[in-house]
Amino acid sequence: MAPVGFLGNRLYNEQIFDRLKMGVHGVDPRFRLGGTKRKVEAFSDLGTTELPVNDEDYDGDGGRNLSISSFHHRRYLPVLDNPVTGWQLPGSSNGKMKRSKSMPESSFSDNSFAGIHRSSSTNSFPKLRFRDHIWTYTKPYLEAEAIKDAISEYGNVGDDGNKDEMHLVQLLVSCAEAVACRDKTHASNLLAELRADALVFGSSFQRVASCFMQGLTDRLAMVQPLGAVGLVAPARNVNPVAFERKDEAFRLVYETCPHIRFGHYVANLTILEAFEGESYVHVVDLGMTLGLRHGQQWRALIQSLAGRANQTRTPHRLRITAVGPCVGQFVTIGNELETYAGEHNINLEFSAIESSLETLKREDIKTYKNEVLVINSILQLHCVVKESRGALNSVLQIVHGLSPKAVVLVEQDSNHNGPFFLGRFMESLHYYSAIFDALDAMLPKYDTKRAKIEQFYFAEEIKNIVSCEGPNRVERHERVDQWRRRMSRAGFQAAPIKLAVQAKHWLEKLEICDGYTIAEEKGCLVLGWKSRPIVAVSCWKC
């Protein structure tokens, strides 16, 4: 197993990333802003295609994440010795999840995972002046420089590998700033240095850095000259070989990582509760888990229904309706499921609706009287979150109009949909670093399966977050708190999931590796790696 690297270092966990990610509060008065042209350009270029127009467009965690930005080239005094801070060390939660008011992100920790630490937005955007914004996007570099000084001062913080990874962090964020500033010369020089250090078969952070390097390379290629607005639209990848590779990589993700299986397991338990004692039941599956072969979630549900035949009344009819553009693939899955259900004495009717979520209409979904309906969405709704909420609101209105007994929502629990590029870049860097760290613990260093998972699946997500804007950016993951607000505004009420004990037993039986844990947070179940939330499951009712 490859070493965890700087992500597993205690000093790095508790000081470096927390300091690197301080928000608009807690500014050290010893720092002074150097008024350079680059900082103004960096601010003006961030998210040029999607600056918030008003509070309704970007609210809460999803729209005011001003926490992270660029590196600045000047060096300032270290701040690690400053006892007055607005941040909180991970591991101080006493077994409960903690939210800090000044830190907009979660913190890493290599300790035993007692809870998932996250924080809430400061919601102070309207009160800030322009120079405060500039300062917000300059400060992280000063913090990183102070950390570098502290590492030199304390000496025995870690081995050379950890220092190399710290250097990679600085290269990545410096390159992201140069790309945001449209400084092609400087960005190209930094990318050349990254290519030499970010190795596909290196440490976990070297591997994740290689994916972000690819995203920055793609974004730089689309950057227009100063004075122009936005980015050049990327060419869509219609290569069938690429689709096949991603399909294989997705299958490997399902088999190797617990993320999707966790969502399936909790969703099925919730669906079984909703179907208890009912004769006619119907599941509308939005996206059919990205077209995962063989309908794994519904095979498990059929097994559970058949296994409970002696204890409770089994439904007279189970209907499953798949919604998505890959209707041919859905039909194949449906035929397999009907055969499988027949073998378990379950009467299954499968149908498919060829429609994207954006174009879905209420009349497309056929429902019957005396039929209990459940909506199932696995890693789907974030794809219809756009700059305006119109597309998502339309989908949620249709779902609400169906009057389902339950809506099960499984989504990545991280904010990759902030309005500013550099904020998204740093948030996604933390999130995918945790995922690659987990893969490092589960698979050998030179395992081809791991390379396929990282380069053909997670790398594609990273590149979409980093390089794309506007309609082309579909990986718009948001935190569970933001989903609570969105669902509440659409008229849904939270239905707490009280399945933490069963889910933890399920995770133990998987025997994957130490580091994964499950925690309950405000009625949701969250799967995390060490101190980083990965996937959250929530349930809603009308």
Side-chain angles (χ1 to χ4, degrees):
M1 183 181 70
V4 173
F6 78 93
L7 292 178
N9 183 281
R10 182 181 299 273
L11 178 60
Y12 203 99
N13 293 344
E14 297 182 352
Q15 294 176 335
I16 292 182
F17 269 137
D18 285 346
R19 281 304 192 170
L20 197 61
K21 301 184 68 181
M22 282 187 66
V24 297
H25 296 302
V27 175
D28 194 313
R30 289 177 291 177
F31 292 141
R32 294 294 181 266
L33 177 63
T36 65
K37 182 179 179 182
R38 166 167 289 187
K39 288 194 280 289
V40 177
E41 292 173 351
F43 180 77
S44 63
D45 183 66
L46 299 177
T48 51
T49 62
E50 48 179 337
L51 287 173
V53 176
N54 53 51
D55 289 350
E56 290 298 318
D57 290 335
Y58 289 100
D59 57 323
D61 293 11
R64 294 180 191 142
N65 182 7
L66 305 179
S67 57
I68 297 300
S69 175
S70 55
F71 276 4
H72 176 47
H73 60 280
R74 294 181 59 185
R75 298 178 61 86
Y76 290 78
L77 295 173
V79 297
L80 292 180
D81 58 342
N82 180 17
V84 182
T85 60
W87 56 283
Q88 184 177 33
L89 290 176
S92 61
S93 60
N94 297 323
K96 298 181 180 179
M97 297 180 185
K98 290 290 185 181
R99 293 181 182 271
S100 156
K101 292 185 178 180
S102 64
M103 242 180 53
E105 319 294 347
S106 305
S107 304
F108 288 100
S109 174
D110 61 341
N111 300 328
S112 299
F113 187 89
I116 296 177
H117 307 274
R118 66 173 86 243
S119 61
S120 60
S121 172
T122 60
N123 288 330
S124 58
F125 182 83
K127 300 177 182 179
L128 298 178
R129 290 171 293 184
F130 181 79
R131 63 183 180 185
D132 296 319
H133 299 312
I134 299 298
W135 170 245
T136 298
Y137 283 92
T138 305
K139 191 173 189 297
Y141 172 75
L142 312 181
E143 303 290 354
E145 289 295 325
I147 290 161
K148 185 176 179 181
D149 292 338
I151 291 175
S152 300
E153 178 181 348
Y154 292 115
N156 296 325
V157 174
D159 55 19
D160 292 338
N162 291 340
K163 293 181 180 178
D164 291 342
E165 289 171 350
M166 181 59 194
H167 179 61
L168 265 181
V169 174
Q170 294 176 333
L171 281 178
L172 281 171
V173 183
S174 295
C175 186
E177 181 203 29
V179 172
C181 293
R182 307 181 189 183
D183 188 345
K184 289 193 173 184
T185 301
H186 186 46
S188 298
N189 292 336
L190 291 170
L191 284 171
E193 191 171 351
L194 279 168
R195 290 187 186 96
D197 297 335
L199 306 177
V200 175
F201 286 100
S203 66
S204 63
F205 191 74
Q206 284 177 318
R207 300 195 310 273
V208 77
S210 72
C211 298
F212 279 87
M213 178 197 67
Q214 295 172 39
L216 289 171
T217 302
D218 293 344
R219 188 179 183 94
L220 184 64
M222 295 183 290
V223 165
Q224 299 187 60
L226 281 173
V229 177
L231 302 173
V232 177
R236 293 187 177 273
N237 188 357
V238 294
N239 186 355
V241 176
F243 283 116
E244 291 178 6
R245 286 176 176 175
K246 187 169 184 178
D247 183 65
E248 179 187 6
F250 183 58
R251 177 181 58 80
L252 292 173
V253 169
Y254 179 82
E255 296 172 355
T256 305
C257 305
H259 310 165
I260 301 172
R261 284 180 287 169
F262 165 73
H264 284 177
Y265 177 77
V266 178
N268 281 355
L269 289 180
T270 305
I271 292 170
L272 288 171
E273 286 185 359
F275 287 172
E276 187 75 31
E278 301 292 343
S279 298
Y280 300 96
V281 294
H282 183 191
V283 178
V284 174
D285 190 355
L286 305 180
M288 202 71 177
T289 311
L290 307 178
L292 182 66
R293 293 181 183 180
H294 310 306
Q296 301 288 358
Q297 179 180 2
W298 306 125
R299 285 175 177 261
L301 181 68
I302 291 168
Q303 283 182 347
S304 298
L305 289 172
R308 299 170 67 174
N310 297 329
Q311 303 174 6
T312 60
R313 183 178 60 181
T314 58
H316 296 320
R317 183 186 65 212
L318 167 64
R319 294 180 61 213
I320 297 177
T321 301
V323 179
C326 306
V327 67
Q329 189 174 357
F330 292 168
V331 170
T332 301
I333 295 173
N335 292 335
E336 294 178 0
L337 288 176
E338 288 180 343
T339 302
Y340 186 78
E343 296 172 355
H344 290 77
N345 298 317
I346 299 294
N347 179 22
L348 172 66
E349 293 181 9
F350 184 90
S351 60
I353 299 173
E354 186 173 11
S355 171
S356 65
L357 295 183
E358 291 93 331
T359 59
L360 182 66
K361 298 179 180 178
R362 167 64 182 84
E363 53 268 23
D364 293 335
I365 301 175
K366 303 296 188 296
T367 57
Y368 302 133
K369 291 183 178 179
N370 302 322
E371 181 181 68
V372 173
L373 176 66
V374 172
I375 307 295
N376 183 73
S377 176
I378 309 292
L379 309 181
Q380 280 295 303
L381 285 186
H382 70 264
C383 296
V384 292
V385 177
K386 305 297 182 183
E387 283 81 4
S388 63
R389 294 197 302 263
L392 179 62
N393 285 346
S394 176
V395 174
L396 294 180
Q397 287 173 6
I398 292 172
V399 171
H400 194 276
L402 293 169
S403 300
K405 188 173 183 179
V407 177
V408 182
L409 180 63
V410 180
E411 286 291 343
Q412 293 91 338
D413 190 11
S414 191
N415 180 23
H416 301 154
N417 193 37
F420 301 123
F421 164 63
L422 289 172
R424 295 198 309 269
F425 182 89
M426 286 303 298
E427 173 70 11
S428 57
L429 181 60
H430 286 278
Y431 179 81
Y432 288 102
S433 293
I435 291 178
F436 278 53
D437 188 20
L439 290 169
D440 204 47
M442 290 185 290
L443 296 172
K445 183 174 183 179
Y446 296 105
D447 195 310
T448 56
K449 289 196 301 183
R450 190 179 72 176
K452 290 179 180 179
I453 290 172
E454 293 174 349
Q455 295 299 316
F456 299 145
Y457 184 74
F458 289 120
E460 292 302 313
E461 288 188 352
I462 291 170
K463 288 190 289 185
N464 186 266
I465 294 169
V466 172
S467 66
C468 295
E469 294 292 350
N472 295 307
R473 181 158 61 86
V474 296
E475 301 296 343
R476 295 174 177 265
H477 314 143
E478 294 187 326
R479 294 177 187 154
V480 67
D481 284 341
Q482 181 69 359
W483 283 109
R484 287 193 189 99
R485 287 187 282 273
R486 292 189 183 279
M487 297 297 287
S488 297
R489 283 197 297 262
F492 294 94
Q493 298 178 352
I497 300 176
K498 300 178 180 179
L499 301 169
V501 175
Q502 297 95 309
K504 290 177 181 178
H505 288 162
W506 167 85
L507 184 61
E508 291 175 359
K509 291 180 180 179
L510 286 184
E511 297 181 350
I512 297 178
C513 65
D514 294 333
Y516 279 111
T517 191
I518 293 171
E520 184 176 351
E521 181 187 340
K522 297 181 181 178
C524 304
L525 287 186
V526 181
L527 176 74
W529 172 255
K530 297 183 179 177
S531 61
R532 181 77 203 198
I534 302 296
V535 174
V537 184
S538 59
C539 183
W540 304 87
K541 60 184 180 180
C542 294

